[in-house]
Structures are given as structure tokens and as C-alpha cells.
């Protein structure tokens, strides 16, 4: 992990947590609730100043932030004052609920704003589909389809953004399974369905997924995924490599597909590729795979260059939180159903750091692409924090929300014993979640490595 990865990670997490805590602060001040301190970062204070009876501080450990709603004595112990109506604990339940919800709400707003900024600068993908090639499943399934038609549902599940489509195509279903897609016609606005049925064939395999476009620097395929079957389960190629030739024939050669299709099972094929700017060669086992024709569901991109396209970008940004929630729920369902490994569902600090490092330290990625990827990752993290913070776990806003909602239903304050039981259960969940996230990160690194 480079120093730049650490810097980017600190800035990302600092922004996310600071915005969250400022949400608590602004709503509290708006409701007339007393705030004693607002701290950016944690640990010993580097700078401290007072304004409007609030102590502001910047501390030396660049992780976290907090808003303090209680006074403290010289030993740092909280001072309770039951007579002060401006204290948070002495305010109505609805006000305390609004303060608790303000942090996650600000992360929600930040995620939407970042998504909109990214869309306006770099463009964005829509749920509209390009005209498919005639051999793809979509082309064979529907004569009604026209370029620009919009995906509405996949197997009766609502689609909000292109990420929902990507999730269903890449994660939830094999391309060898039937898939029912509901479209909205761009011309008439009417809904119609297309049942995608795969055509199964046997062909040689490389065991990789690569970008559709040829890279200009290496004149090869940029590898985005390496399958388990690659080289008989002993991978040679890695994600991020650029494959340039097989058996001395360039992947851009007009005869490449014909040559590759003529390969038979057994023996080896010779690969030429670049990794981190270095040219490499290796022999790879030839194997055959039963595969289906491509789905033909390729989403269209759009640039923000008019008022209408800005409205489309805004719609995409507002729907993105629904996509994050949908994919989170679907991933958990698949983990419980045994369809995916549980360690691929949760990511902890190590996983986040590894994701940032993958983006920042890639020498073959331009600065523009790196900025886009970091902005996208920050957006998803901010929206993910909304869900995480609503979990009923001590230290998170969710437990306060649950306690306040229970009090509002029963019409009285919970007993200390009940609070201790709820907090105790939540603490066990917190420890379990932290351990599971850490173990998941480690397993992913081992498996991926």
C-alpha cells in the first residue's frame, strides 16, 4: 500500500465521517439543542476554539469525528443536569429521533451529490440498451426491441440503475440460464417482455473477462476478471493485465477468432501479456467449455450536455441509493441461500483499503480514470454508511433510533435493565460483525491472491 493510498483513504473517510457528524450538529442547533463540542478526528487536540458556546477542535488521529451533547468534568466524566431543557436527553423523543437520523441522512445527501457531480463531469450509464448483435440472446428473443429501450425489471425484480442490471447479469445468474426482462419502449412508452434463452455451444476457453475495447497503449485486451477455470485452476493472468497475443497471433488480428476457435482440448497455448507495464510470456493449458451466446444487454452511456441530460443524471443519482439497498439485500439473500460465499458480502477496513489501493496504485490507469473510480467508491461508501449506521448496534445511530421508536410506541422511557439488554445484544452483534468483516477481508485477499 503506497503513501498515496493512505492519503486518499484518510481524506475519503474523513469527509464521510465529518459530513455525518455535522448532520447531527446542524439539526441539533436548528432544534435549539445544546452542543458542547464538535471534533474533527479523534485523539489529542491539535487546535481548539470556541464560538457561540460550542467548542470546536481538530484532533491528531485522522479517523472518525464526533459531536458531544453532554458536559464533562475535569476527569472527562459526563455531567448530567436534569434541569437544563436544552440538553439532548431532556428534549422530546421526536427531536432526539431527528438528531439521530440527521447523520445517516447527510451521508445519503452526500452520496447523491457525489453521484451527480461524477455524472456531470464524467458521464454516466443509463438503463437503456444498445441494439444487440444478431447472434445474442436478446436479438433472438425479441423482434420488438429497439435501440434505446429501457430495462424496467429482470425476472420481476425492479431495476433502478445500470448497477442493478450489472448485478443480475454478472452475479445472480449464469448466462446459461433463461432470463425474463421487462422493457419500456423508447418510442411508445409501452411495456413488453423478452425471455432470453441461451444457445449452448462448446468452444476453447481462456477463462478471462476483458473489456470490449482494445487498449491503445498495449494493443490488447484489458482483463477485468479471471475465472476459476483459467489454466486448469492455476491462474496465470491477473485482473489488470493486458493480453496481447495467443500463440503469436495478436488478439486484434482479424484471424484471431478463427484461430482460437480451431484450438482443441489439451496441450498448451502461449500467452503474451503486460503486467504493471512489464512484458511477460507464459504457457496456458488448453481446455474446452460449454458456453452460451452473449446476453446482448449492453447499457448505453450518456453525457451531461443539456438540461434533459442533466435531469437524467439527477434521476440516476436519486435512484442510486435504492440500487445500493437493493444489491445489499439481494447479496444477503444469496449468501443465506448458499448461492455466494458469505465472505464476499461484507467488506471491512482492510477491504476498503485494498479497493482504494487497487485504484490508486494501478500504473496502467490514467489520472482521470483514477479520479472517477475514487469518486465512485466514495459515493458507494457514503450510501453504504447510511445502511450500516441504521443497524441496531451500540455506537451507531440505529440503536438510538430503535430505542426512541420503542419509547414512542409504549409511551414511556425504557427501563435501565431493558436498555442494558438491548445494548448488550447490540454489542455482541457489533463484535461479531467486526470479526466477520475482518475475516472476510483476509479470505478475499487470500483467495484473490
Amino acid at each position: 500500500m503506497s503513501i498515496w493510498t493512505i492519503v486518499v483513504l484518510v481524506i475519503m473517510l474523513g469527509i464521510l465521517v465529518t459530513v455525518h457528524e455535522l448532520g447531527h450538529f446542524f439539526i441539533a442547533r436548528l432544534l435549539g439543542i445544546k452542543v458542547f463540542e464538535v471534533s474533527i478526528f479523534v485523539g489529542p487536540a491539535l487546535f481548539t476554539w470556541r464560538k457561540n458556546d460550542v467548542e470546536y477542535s481538530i484532533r491528531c488521529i485522522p479517523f472518525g469525528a464526533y459531536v458531544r451533547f453532554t458536559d464533562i468534568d475535569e476527569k472527562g466524566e459526563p455531567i448530567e443536569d436534569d434541569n437544563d431543557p436544552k440538553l439532548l436527553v431532556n428534549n422530546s423523543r421526536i427531536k432526539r429521533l431527528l438528531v439521530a437520523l440527521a447523520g445517516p441522512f447527510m451521508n445519503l445527501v452526500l452520496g447523491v451529490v457525489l453521484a451527480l457531480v461524477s455524472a456531470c463531469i464524467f458521464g454516466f450509464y443509463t438503463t437503456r440498451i444498445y441494439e444487440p448483435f444478431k447472434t445474442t440472446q436478446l436479438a433472438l428473443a425479441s423482434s420488438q426491441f429497439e435501440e434505446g429501450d429501457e430495462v424496467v425489471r429482470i425476472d420481476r425484480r425492479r431495476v433502478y440503475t445500470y448497477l442493478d442490471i450489472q448485478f443480475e447479469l454478472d452475479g445472480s445468474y449464469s448466462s446459461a440460464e433463461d432470463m425474463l426482462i421487462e422493457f419500456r419502449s423508447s418510442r411508445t412508452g409501452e411495456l413488453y417482455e423478452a425471455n432470453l434463452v441461451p444457445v449452448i455451444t462448446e468452444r476453447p476457453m481462456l477463462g478471462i473477462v476483458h473489456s470490449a475495447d482494445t487498449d491503445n497503449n498495449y494493443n490488447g485486451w484489458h482483463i477485468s476478471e479471471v475465472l476459476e477455470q483459467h489454466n486448469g485452476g492455476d491462474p496465470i493472468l491477473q485482473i489488470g493485465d493486458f493480453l496481447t497475443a495467443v500463440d503469436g497471433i495478436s488478439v486484434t488480428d482479424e484471424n484471431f477468432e478463427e484461430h482460437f476457435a480451431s484450438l482443441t482440448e489439451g496441450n498448451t497455448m502461449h500467452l503474451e501479456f503486460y503486467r504493471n507495464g512489464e512484458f511477460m510470456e507464459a504457457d496456458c493449458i488448453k481446455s474446452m467449455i460449454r458456453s452460451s451466446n452473449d446476453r446482448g444487454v449492453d447499457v448505453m452511456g450518456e453525457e451531461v450536455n443539456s438540461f434533459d441530460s442533466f435531469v437524467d443524471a439527477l434521476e440516476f443519482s436519486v435512484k442510486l441509493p435504492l440500487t445500493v439497498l437493493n444489491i445489499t439485500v439481494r447479496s444477503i439473500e444469496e449468501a443465506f441461500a448458499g448461492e455466494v460465499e458469505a465472505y464476499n458480502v461484507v467488506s471491512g477496513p482492510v477491504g476498503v483499503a485494498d479497493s482504494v489501493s487497487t485504484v490508486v496504485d494501478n500504473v496502467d490507469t490514467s489520472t482521470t480514470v483514477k479520479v472517477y473510480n475514487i469518486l465512485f467508491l466514495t459515493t458507494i461508501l457514503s450510501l453504504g454508511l447510511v445502511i450500516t449506521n441504521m443497524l441496531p448496534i451500540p455506537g451507531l445511530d440505529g440503536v438510538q433510533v430503535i430505542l426512541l421508536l420503542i419509547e414512542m410506541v409504549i409511551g414511556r422511557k425504557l427501563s435501565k435493565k431493558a436498555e442494558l439488554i438491548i445494548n448488550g445484544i447490540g454489542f455482541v452483534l457489533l463484535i461479531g460483525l467486526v470479526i466477520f468483516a475482518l475475516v472476510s477481508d483476509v479470505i478475499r485477499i487470500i483467495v484473490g491472491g
Side-chain angles (χ1 to χ4, degrees):
M1 185 184 300
S2 69
I3 185 64
W4 286 112
T5 295
I6 297 174
V7 170
V8 171
L9 188 61
V10 168
I11 292 174
M12 283 174 56
L13 297 180
I15 291 174
L16 294 177
V17 177
T18 299
V19 168
H20 178 95
E21 294 300 325
L22 289 178
H24 293 309
F25 170 70
F26 287 130
I27 292 299
R29 295 289 285 183
L30 182 65
L31 297 175
I33 296 172
K34 185 178 291 186
V35 176
F36 289 89
E37 182 186 2
V38 177
S39 175
I40 307 301
F41 304 146
V42 296
L46 296 176
F47 306 101
T48 302
W49 68 97
R50 293 189 67 84
K51 184 177 180 181
N52 298 329
D53 294 326
V54 178
E55 181 178 297
Y56 298 88
S57 57
I58 299 177
R59 299 180 180 271
C60 64
I61 302 177
F63 291 100
Y66 63 85
V67 177
R68 184 162 54 84
F69 292 103
T70 57
D71 198 6
I72 56 176
D73 57 24
E74 295 179 355
K75 297 181 180 180
E77 297 294 330
I79 301 173
E80 296 186 8
D81 184 358
D82 294 335
N83 298 320
D84 189 348
K86 291 188 175 182
L87 288 180
L88 178 64
V89 295
N90 295 333
N91 272 266
S92 66
R93 295 186 184 99
I94 187 64
K95 286 187 177 181
R96 284 184 284 155
L97 182 62
L98 290 174
V99 172
L101 291 172
F105 177 75
M106 284 300 291
N107 280 129
L108 176 65
V109 172
L110 177 62
V112 171
V113 170
L114 289 178
L116 182 59
V117 170
S118 176
C120 290
I121 297 175
F122 301 104
F124 62 102
Y125 289 105
T126 69
T127 54
R128 297 188 292 274
I129 307 301
Y130 283 112
E131 181 72 29
F133 291 113
K134 60 182 180 180
T135 57
T136 61
Q137 296 176 30
L138 177 56
L140 297 174
S142 176
S143 59
Q144 186 176 353
F145 178 85
E146 296 179 345
E147 183 168 275
D149 286 0
E150 180 184 6
V151 177
V152 178
R153 289 179 177 83
I154 296 180
D155 282 344
R156 310 301 183 190
R157 295 188 179 93
R158 186 75 170 87
V159 165
Y160 301 102
T161 70
Y162 79 94
L163 291 172
D164 296 294
I165 300 174
Q166 192 176 73
F167 177 80
E168 300 295 348
L169 293 178
D170 297 342
S172 297
Y173 293 86
S174 163
S175 59
E177 295 180 78
D178 291 4
M179 175 180 284
L180 182 66
I181 301 184
E182 183 178 346
F183 289 97
R184 176 179 287 109
S185 171
S186 58
R187 183 170 52 84
T188 66
E190 295 180 353
L191 299 177
Y192 66 94
E193 293 181 342
N195 188 29
L196 276 56
V197 179
V199 176
I200 307 299
T201 57
E202 189 175 73
R203 62 175 179 81
M205 68 166 291
L206 275 169
I208 62 171
V209 177
H210 62 85
S211 59
D213 298 326
T214 301
D215 179 78
N216 293 327
N217 293 327
Y218 297 104
N219 197 33
W221 294 337
H222 187 205
I223 299 173
S224 59
E225 183 179 356
V226 178
L227 307 181
E228 293 181 1
Q229 303 96 323
H230 171 60
N231 194 41
D234 184 19
I236 292 174
L237 297 172
Q238 298 179 5
I239 295 174
D241 289 352
F242 292 86
L243 179 65
T244 57
V246 176
D247 292 337
I249 300 179
S250 170
V251 296
T252 61
D253 191 296
E254 60 180 9
N255 297 318
F256 177 80
E257 291 294 339
E258 180 180 350
H259 165 75
F260 192 71
S262 68
L263 297 179
T264 57
E265 191 168 8
N267 299 322
T268 60
M269 49 187 164
H270 191 69
L271 307 182
E272 298 175 24
F273 57 97
Y274 285 86
R275 178 175 298 160
N276 292 324
E278 181 182 352
F279 177 73
M280 305 181 75
E281 297 180 82
D283 288 333
C284 178
I285 296 173
K286 294 177 184 175
S287 58
M288 307 297 287
I289 186 174
R290 287 176 57 82
S291 64
S292 65
N293 53 334
D294 188 74
R295 293 288 194 190
V297 182
D298 297 318
V299 295
M300 302 176 68
E302 184 174 350
E303 293 183 355
V304 178
N305 49 23
S306 66
F307 179 76
D308 288 342
S309 58
F310 175 80
V311 172
D312 289 341
L314 181 60
E315 181 182 3
F316 160 75
S317 304
V318 171
K319 287 183 176 180
L320 189 57
L322 297 175
T323 286
V324 173
L325 179 60
N326 175 50
I327 292 178
T328 300
V329 173
R330 294 274 287 116
S331 298
I332 294 173
E333 288 177 353
E334 290 184 356
F336 276 106
E339 297 173 5
V340 297
E341 297 294 345
Y343 62 78
N344 283 324
V345 176
V346 176
S347 184
V350 177
V352 174
D354 185 58
S355 297
V356 174
S357 178
T358 300
V359 173
V360 175
D361 297 337
N362 192 332
V363 298
D364 292 314
T365 303
S366 68
T367 301
T368 300
V369 174
K370 288 182 180 181
V371 171
Y372 167 77
N373 288 335
I374 289 297
L375 193 56
F376 177 78
L377 182 58
T378 307
T379 301
I380 299 302
L381 283 175
S382 187
L383 296 175
L385 282 175
V386 178
I387 300 173
T388 304
N389 266 288
M390 293 309 295
L391 295 175
I393 294 176
L396 302 180
D397 300 311
V399 72
Q400 294 300 321
V401 172
I402 293 295
L403 292 174
L404 286 168
L405 289 175
I406 293 175
E407 288 184 11
M408 293 171 73
V409 170
I410 65 177
R412 58 181 174 80
K413 184 175 177 60
L414 285 172
S415 66
K416 290 293 183 181
K417 182 179 180 180
E419 285 193 26
L420 285 174
I421 292 174
I422 293 174
N423 281 312
I425 295 173
F427 182 73
V428 172
L429 290 174
L430 175 62
I431 297 301
L433 182 61
V434 170
I435 293 174
F436 180 63
L438 181 60
V439 172
S440 297
D441 290 340
V442 173
I443 292 176
R444 260 195 309 274
I445 291 173
I446 294 174
V447 174

